[in-house]
Amino acid sequence: MSTCYNPKTMDELGQALSQLTGRSLILAGGTDLVLRLRSKHLEPDALLSLSGVPDLQEIEITPERASIGAMSTMARVNQALDGLPDLQALADAAGGVGSPQIRNKGTIGGNAANASAAADLPPVLWLLNARAEIMGPGGARRTIPVQELPDGHQGNTLAVGEVVVRFVIDRVPLRGWRSAFVKLGHRSQVTISRIGLAAALLQEEDGTVRDARVVAGAIKPVPFPLPAAEDILRGRRPDPALAVELGETFKGNTRRVYKENAAKGVFQDVLLRLQ
């Protein structure tokens, strides 16, 4: 590796991005990339670290929107959003990633841009209709729906010299909604998702569900909505007894029968959080 870039400002970041090639790598928290560098003996021509840019670590929450810098760690995302009903699913997902050590290093931008099918945060970002702000060479900016970030093949759609710098969630359409995220793994802690389920409900005063959103992850290469599950929830109360019926909506979405059966338990856990 011939060159390392460690920008300290957004302007410096834009300049550094101009120097990258198709063989360059960008380092966020490093919880995944460092392992790949060692295990696959990768030899990039340049390595750009994002850890020195304070702006990328900022989290700003207002009644109108949530603005989360891409270098915000899982621990900080969990701390900032925990207790906010509309954004609780994002706090749940960030708070359940890996071990405390990983949550203190792993970042929301790295988790999303890495585009792993088993990543915990993408289903929630999809659920909340987040937008990804992207910086390119020279500091050029563009913003895309987070659904356009993965390429569907365990990669992302970022061009050479582009990096996600921020996620923005419009909270105005989410007023009155409550959300939650639950994942299923081989063990309760420090586990890779086998199913990730993000759900949000808008309820009447009597608890009846007026509207619902459900997004599943760790099933296909990218998260996907479950409109059949949303239809089941509308007009009813979020009773965990609905879990069996809701779990049936997984059929046809996975070739693994155990996931179809396990989905019922995951739905039950989500509904318990949303009661």
Side-chain angles (χ1 to χ4, degrees):
M1 181 169 56
S2 59
T3 308
C4 291
Y5 298 101
N6 188 22
K8 304 299 183 184
T9 68
M10 295 297 278
D11 287 342
E12 290 180 4
L13 174 59
Q15 295 169 17
L17 291 171
S18 300
Q19 307 303 314
L20 302 189
T21 73
R23 292 183 52 232
S24 304
L25 293 174
I26 297 174
L27 179 68
T31 55
D32 180 74
L33 181 59
V34 170
L35 295 177
R36 289 198 290 123
L37 282 167
R38 293 173 177 170
S39 64
K40 297 185 178 181
H41 306 290
L42 300 178
E43 296 183 0
D45 62 353
L47 183 65
L48 168 62
S49 172
L50 303 176
S51 61
V53 186
D55 286 359
L56 298 183
Q57 302 173 28
E58 292 183 353
I59 299 178
E60 181 184 3
I61 309 295
T62 71
E64 290 73 34
R65 74 170 196 162
S67 175
I68 306 170
M71 285 295 290
S72 300
T73 65
M74 300 300 177
R76 291 192 63 236
V77 171
N78 173 259
Q79 183 180 37
L81 305 185
D82 192 31
L84 300 176
D86 55 331
L87 304 177
Q88 185 62 48
L90 194 52
D92 292 343
V97 171
S99 64
Q101 294 90 337
I102 291 174
R103 291 193 291 275
N104 283 323
K105 289 292 291 182
T107 65
I108 184 172
N111 192 267
N114 194 40
S116 167
D120 292 339
L121 272 63
V124 181
L125 293 170
W126 285 44
L127 178 84
L128 301 176
N129 286 321
R131 297 182 65 82
E133 184 180 326
I134 297 165
M135 176 181 282
R141 304 280 189 109
R142 66 186 180 98
T143 302
I144 62 171
V146 74
Q147 291 88 342
E148 296 178 9
L149 186 58
D151 65 7
H153 302 284
Q154 301 288 321
N156 62 53
T157 57
L158 298 175
V160 173
E162 285 191 327
V163 65
V164 177
V165 295
R166 186 165 301 280
F167 294 96
V168 178
I169 299 169
D170 183 359
R171 297 185 70 192
V172 174
L174 297 175
R175 285 175 183 164
W177 289 74
R178 295 189 300 129
S179 68
F181 173 83
V182 171
K183 72 175 178 180
L184 174 71
H186 285 316
R187 52 186 184 267
S188 61
Q189 298 293 324
V190 197
T191 186
I192 295 174
S193 288
R194 299 301 182 223
I195 297 175
L197 196 64
L201 302 180
L202 179 65
Q203 295 171 266
E204 306 288 0
E205 289 187 6
D206 65 357
T208 302
V209 176
R210 185 193 313 173
D211 202 359
R213 298 179 190 171
V214 180
V215 177
I219 303 292
K220 300 180 180 181
V222 298
F224 61 96
L226 282 170
E230 296 168 352
D231 289 341
I232 290 170
L233 288 165
R234 293 186 184 103
R236 303 165 83 169
R237 296 188 179 185
D239 189 333
L242 293 174
V244 173
E245 186 178 354
L246 290 165
E248 293 295 313
T249 64
F250 263 75
K251 288 187 176 179
N253 285 305
T254 176
R255 291 175 293 178
R256 299 182 182 275
V257 176
Y258 87 88
K259 288 195 175 185
E260 291 182 357
N261 294 325
K264 299 170 185 177
V266 180
F267 265 114
Q268 184 178 54
D269 290 342
V270 168
L271 291 175
L272 285 170
R273 294 193 182 192
L274 291 172
Q275 278 191 316

